[in-house]
Amino acid sequence: MHMEKTGDKNYSNRSYRFMIVGTVIMIVAAVVTGILFRVISKTMDSIQPEETVVYDKHYAFIAEDSESDLWAQVLAASSDQAREYGAYLEDLGTVLGRDYSAEDLLRIAVNSKVDGIIYSGGSSDKVAGLIDKAVEEGIGVVVLQNDVEASKRQCYVGLNYYELGQMYALQIKNLLNGEDMGDKSVDILVDGDMSEGASNLIVMAIEDNLRSEESDVMPEIVVTRIDVEDIFSAEERIRNIFLEKDNLPDIMLCVNSVYTRCAYQAVVDYNLVGQIQIVGYFVNDTILDAVDKQVIYSTVSVDTEEMGRSCVQALYEYNNMGYTNSYLPVRIEVVDHDKASRMIREKTDEAEG
Amino acid sequence: MKGAFKKKWNNASVMTKMLIAFIVPLVLMLVVNIYMYISINTMMERVDEIYVVNVSLNELADDLTFLQNSMKEYLESKSTSALYDYYKAEQDYRNELAGLDLSNSGTTVYALFENISNQSENYLTTAGETITAKRGRNIEKYKSSYEETVNMYSDLQSCIYALNNSQFKKNTSDYSVLLSSLRYMELITILILFFIGIVNVIVVFLMTKSMTMPLITLSQAANEVAAGNFDVEVPVTEGGDEISVVSKAFEQMLESIQRYIEQIRSSVLRESMLKEHELVMENRMKEVQLRSLQAQINPHFLFNTLNAGEQLAMMEGAEKTTEFIENMADFFRYNIKKIDNDATIAEEIALVDKYVYILNVRFTGEIHYSKDVDESVMSVRVPSMIIQPIVENAVNYGIRDIDWEGHIDLKVSQDDGNVLLSIRDNGIGMRKDQIDRILSGEAAGEVSADHSASNGVGLGNVIERLQIFTGRSDVMDIISEGEGCGTEFVIKVPKEIRPEAEDKR
């Protein structure tokens, strides 16, 4: 008679093992849950309150959206400059989200008692009145591109239209290359709200520079004003020019990037490449490509960086010193086929490299 | 540390183990639940906060509309209630505006809010001027001021709308993030609770099983034992819990039961053997007694008679007769007295001396008797009447009918703890088969049958009593070289009798 012992079955040890293993599994699960919850909570960091930068001055940027590419570059440069000065530049049109006119935005900016306004738009009497009201209330006003000469604005930042005319004249010379100018016609497309003085300056500069000691013969120069108040009018107006086949200009000078793009598209659509030469305005990918393909003969590049920074500098100067330059010119240069090709190459290399 | 905890666990009571098995997962689940509750609650609070700004901005816009309408109504009717409404609306609007805090909503929003604040200030000033002009009946002034407020009101509503819209867009995006996070958390919560629940059930099941398994095995073992099967499996539990205690106690109980059974069995065996011995001894003694009684017809009368004869012989001066009768009386007295008891070797030899004397008187000195005795063993106790029957046998069957001079030699010596009693005759000797028959006890009947010439105690009886007395079988040796070569009987008794032999006696 003997007793057998189940030696390999120590139940106490077994229960201990189950308890430890089970507890460890559950703790691990709890820790994993904690980590997952933390990870999910981290994703909520994206909805943390946005940082509010404390600024000394509050400037409003007002521009009619007729040249979004140009103003986007100018706004970026202005914002950078403002940030450097500890100021905040508010793109009022974009912030309000509605299609306000520059005049409405100007009124809102004045009523909002901002510290400075950068304005680009029409130059009506109402606008001049609002600018005067702003100046009276101590708000600095810098006008961009199209000057509001009748107002008390502190500063005008823009092109030297005479210099622009000179550049156009040079392009015309190059285009005609000794041909008889008397048979040729030049159409200058300008904004409807551009002052007479400005457009006259361009025409005068062209004529001054085309006139030579040998010949007094001038091409026919026509100034076409595009109504900026009427939406889509630019495209329609330019198409109309091309439809008048008997009266087609030989050269089109566009004083606006939108007009340049419209003219370019029309030349292609009506198969008039080479027949109508276009001298454009502003440099963006489309225009640069067109110059490279020689659909557009050349384009006038505006230094948007300088333009943007200059207007903020003027405001800052006015706020701090009580006065500033009443005119700050913006550098311009011609981009012809060779330069356009080089610029495209550089851009490609930059993108690849 | 781990070992100490394991030891503590092993030594813990079943109740403690069960409590730990239930409480640990419960606490874990509780902690996980609390953590999840706090996390989800925090998120819900944030969800609640998300659209608070939109609600405030809507109220601000409503207040502004009410303000503008109140002013217009006053301008139209100049009623006191309209004026009251205007002032109330103005106060509400100011309060609402002051309650808005958008300082942490980003620079763009803050700048727009600053615009709204400044425009509101301008608007309220202009509205106040309009009301004052109306009260002062300055018609031109209040008309132009009112036109101004209409524009300002429109701009303000636009700005509030823009701000509300931008906040709503941002909040909706925040809400989507929060909502998707909440859904993930909900999913994780369900999964983790499900997982921990399953693990909990498995752990509790396994632990309960591992704790109750020894009890089940133990109950099965108990059933087996109850059915009489002691070859059972006892669960091993190293711990110090109640189950371990019960298991160990059960194991010890089984061992004890088996030990007791073994003891009882051996005790019964011994007792039956003892009883058997006692019966045999009793039978032999009875036989001896019977024979003794047969041989002793009224021994007291015989002793008295012999004593009277001895005294008569003494009175007559017959010394030899006196000695003879004395020896004879002693011989018979010894027979009577010692038949139930053991005796010393000295007493036994003295009896032989007397017997040989009597025989020599009877047979006129035909028997030449000699003895060689080791005095140191004379006090060793042996059963009574063991030497004399052998001497009697040697006389009757050995030397009685021989033609040569008969000798009987008695020798007492010792060897390896035994006393050797040698009775040697030079008679006719014995055959091998005769010796075997005597030693195996088969000749006992033959010898005892012829007791008319002896004192009635046969060789077989002597051998049996010696065997019972010493507790061993090897008690006598008979040596004979064959016919005419004499016979030697060697009795072998231990100098000290073992306890078992004592019991048997």
Side-chain angles (χ1 to χ4, degrees), chain A residues 188-202:
Chain A
I188 308 173
L189 304 177
V190 299
D191 289 343
D193 57 4
M194 181 186 269
S195 64
E196 286 285 339
S199 57
N200 287 342
L201 262 179
I202 295 171

Side-chain angles (χ1 to χ4, degrees), chain B residues 181-200:
Chain B
S181 298
L182 266 172
R183 288 206 177 111
Y184 278 122
M185 281 189 171
E186 198 177 64
L187 188 69
I188 290 167
T189 305
I190 291 168
L191 286 177
I192 197 67
L193 286 179
F194 193 65
F195 178 75
I196 290 186
I198 286 177
V199 173
N200 192 5

Side-chain angles (χ1 to χ4, degrees), chain A residues 1-6 10-12 15 33 44 47 49 52-53 55 58 90 98 100 107 111-112, chain B residues 9-10 43 103-104 106-107 114-115 118-119 122 155 158 174 192 210 230-234 238 251 255:
Chain A
M1 197 162 11
H2 72 285
M3 283 178 296
E4 280 181 24
K5 288 186 178 183
T6 52
N10 193 321
Y11 298 107
S12 197
S15 65
T33 310
M44 285 166 27
I47 58 172
T52 306
V53 178
Y55 48 80
H58 179 183
E90 184 181 25
R98 275 170 59 179
Y100 281 104
R107 187 184 65 242
N111 281 330
S112 297
Chain B
W9 172 266
N10 284 340
M43 290 191 92
S103 54
N104 286 323
T107 316
E114 207 177 49
N115 290 348
N118 290 332
Q119 283 181 57
N122 269 343
D155 292 344
S158 296
D174 292 354
I192 197 67
S210 70
F230 286 85
D231 288 340
V232 290
E233 200 175 87
V234 179
E238 285 181 358
E251 190 183 338
E255 279 174 2

